Amino acid sequence: MSHMDCPGFPATRLRRLRATPALRRLVRETRLTTDGLVMPLFVRPGKGVRRPIPSMPGNCQLSVDELVREARAIHKLGLPAVLLFGIPDKKDEKASGAYAKHGIVQSAVRALKDAVPELGVITDVCLCEYTSHGHCGIVRKRRDGALDVDNDATLELLARSAVSHAEAGADIVAPSDMMDGRVAAIRRALDQHGFEQTPIMSYAAKFASGFYGPFREAAESLPRFGDRRTYQMDYGNAEEALREVALDIAEGADIVMVKPGLAYLDVVWRVKERFGCPTAVYNVSGEFGMVKAAAKNGWLEERGGGEGMLTGFRRAGADIILTYWAKDVARWLRE
Ligand code: PBG
C-alpha cells in the first residue's frame, strides 16, 4: 500500500519542497540572523588580560583594554549588542563593587561607549559576582535560623547598581537576581536619576538550574554555602513563570527573559503568546558547554548542534537570544 492509497490523502507531497538547498531556502519559516543576538562578555581588572575560561571554550575573562578590542571585532561582525558581567578584584558582604562609580563594569561601559558607541551595551545587574559568599543579595539569618538572601535589603543595592550602570552609559540594564519587586525598584531609581529612557530587560523567569555550572566558573560566583533555590524558580513550574513575567511587566520591564532556554521552550512559547512583548532567551553556559564537549569528542558537529538549538529558540518565539555562540553564528552566516 502506498501513502496515496490512504483515503483523503492530499496530492501534495511535503518532501517536494525539501529536495534541494534552493527549495529549502525558499520555504524556510524561521531564519537565524545576527539581529537579535547578544554576546555575553566577562570583564576583570588589569591590562592586556585574556584569561581563557576552561569550561567555556573560546570565551575569556578580559581586561577593559582587551574588552574594547573584542567589542570592535563583535561590532564588525554585525552583532547588535553585548552583555557585560564584571569580576571585581575585591568582594565583600555588601557587594560594594556592584555599585561603585569606578567599579569594573562601570569602567568597562565607559570605555566601550567611548570606543564603539554604536554597539549596544547591556549590563547584568546582580550582586553574586560581588558578594564574598557568592549569593545574589544580602544574606541574613531568617526567623528559622537558616541563612538566606534578604529580599528587600537587596533591592536598594540592585537599584544603585542599575543607576551606576546607566550613569556609565549602559543602553539596557538587565537584573538577573530574582528578588521580588526589583524591576519596580530599579525603574523608580532610574527615573529619579533622569534615566527614564533606559530600558530594563528582566530575567523574569529564571530557573534554578544545573546548566549554570560553567558560568559560575567564568564569573567566579559559585555560592559558598547553600544554593539559589530560595530565589530562583523551581523547574517544575510553568504557570508560576507566567506570573513572574506578568509581575515584571506590570513593574515596568521592557523586555522579559526566560532562562535557561533549551529545557524551557514551552515557557518561551507561552510567554510570547500571552504577553506579546519583546522576549529574550538566555542560551546558558551549560547548553553551550555540552555541545562544545560533545563536539570535542567527535560525537556531534558543533555548527549543526548550535544552529539547531538557536533556531529552536527563535521558533519558540524568542526575539533576542543571549548566546556564547553569537560571534560564531555571525561567522557561520557569512560562510
Ligand atoms: C547571575 C547570573 C547567572 C547567569 C547569568 N547571571 C548565574 C547564576 O544564577 O548562578 C548564568 C548564565 C549562564 O549560565 O550562562 N545572577
Side-chain angles (χ1 to χ4, degrees):
M1 181 166 130
S2 90
H3 75 282
M4 291 301 281
D5 299 328
C6 294
F9 197 94
T12 303
R13 298 187 63 161
L14 294 176
R15 283 195 52 201
R16 281 181 195 135
L17 294 174
R18 297 175 199 155
T20 66
L23 286 173
R24 291 194 292 274
R25 199 174 148 206
L26 282 171
V27 299
R28 179 162 241 194
E29 299 167 27
T30 310
R31 289 167 218 274
L32 192 58
T33 67
T34 48
D35 288 335
L37 298 188
V38 177
M39 181 76 198
L41 295 172
F42 300 91
V43 58
R44 66 170 305 124
K47 243 190 160 197
V49 182
R50 286 190 84 88
R51 193 188 285 186
I53 303 161
S55 56
M56 296 172 63
N59 291 266
C60 295
Q61 295 179 341
L62 306 166
S63 53
V64 173
D65 53 330
E66 290 292 326
L67 179 82
V68 166
R69 278 186 29 185
E70 186 72 18
R72 284 209 174 96
I74 286 170
H75 180 55
K76 260 211 186 117
L77 280 167
L79 293 167
V82 295
L83 170 67
L84 284 189
F85 293 96
I87 301 134
D89 46 5
K90 275 194 232 105
K91 303 183 187 228
D92 59 32
E93 298 265 300
K94 289 197 299 211
S96 313
Y99 39 88
K101 186 160 187 218
H102 298 289
I104 183 67
V105 160
Q106 293 80 356
S107 311
V109 174
R110 282 191 195 95
L112 288 180
K113 280 291 143 192
D114 210 34
V116 219
E118 312 83 16
L119 182 70
V121 176
I122 308 171
T123 54
D124 185 86
V125 176
C126 193
L127 305 187
C128 66
E129 298 110 81
Y130 305 91
T131 50
S132 40
H133 43 66
H135 278 286
C136 301
I138 295 298
V139 169
R140 295 256 163 84
K141 234 190 205 146
R142 285 194 317 221
R143 275 160 183 252
D144 64 3
L147 284 176
D148 196 4
V149 171
D150 183 326
N151 193 87
D152 294 3
T154 302
L155 295 182
E156 195 211 320
L157 301 184
L158 291 168
R160 277 171 68 181
S161 306
V163 169
S164 73
H165 295 176
E167 274 167 350
D171 296 292
I172 300 179
V173 293
S176 68
D177 52 283
M178 287 301 278
M179 296 305 120
D180 287 327
R182 94 277 203 202
V183 173
I186 290 172
R187 184 72 271 158
R188 200 177 312 122
L190 286 172
D191 292 353
Q192 274 168 4
H193 287 81
F195 298 107
E196 300 89 352
Q197 287 295 331
T198 303
I200 299 175
M201 173 165 76
S202 84
Y203 290 63
K206 177 173 176 180
F207 292 86
S209 168
F211 285 105
Y212 303 150
F215 174 93
R216 290 177 187 171
E217 177 180 59
E220 300 176 10
S221 64
L222 185 71
R224 294 285 152 79
F225 59 88
D227 54 41
R228 304 204 201 286
R229 284 183 290 184
T230 62
Y231 41 106
Q232 298 182 352
M233 286 189 59
D234 181 341
Y235 48 58
N237 299 352
E239 292 295 336
E240 187 190 352
L242 297 178
R243 292 205 297 279
E244 282 280 5
V245 170
L247 278 172
D248 281 10
I249 292 171
E251 290 179 27
D254 303 279
I255 301 168
V256 289
M257 191 200 298
V258 175
K259 176 186 170 192
L262 197 53
Y264 301 88
L265 292 184
D266 58 321
V267 178
V268 177
W269 174 256
R270 291 173 74 179
V271 166
K272 186 66 192 178
E273 285 280 297
R274 175 148 337 168
F275 302 103
C277 61
T279 303
V281 64
Y282 203 132
N283 177 209
V284 301
S285 57
E287 298 166 354
F288 172 79
M290 66 189 184
V291 172
K292 279 278 186 191
K296 198 172 155 209
N297 273 302
W299 296 340
L300 55 73
E301 194 256 311
E302 182 182 355
R303 180 171 172 178
E307 278 192 5
M309 208 189 272
L310 298 174
T311 305
F313 296 140
R314 273 276 152 77
R315 214 182 48 242
D319 304 294
I320 296 171
I321 306 172
L322 302 109
T323 177
Y324 304 101
W325 270 303
K327 274 176 73 183
D328 294 323
V329 171
R331 284 196 209 101
W332 292 337
L333 293 178
R334 283 181 182 194
E335 276 168 19

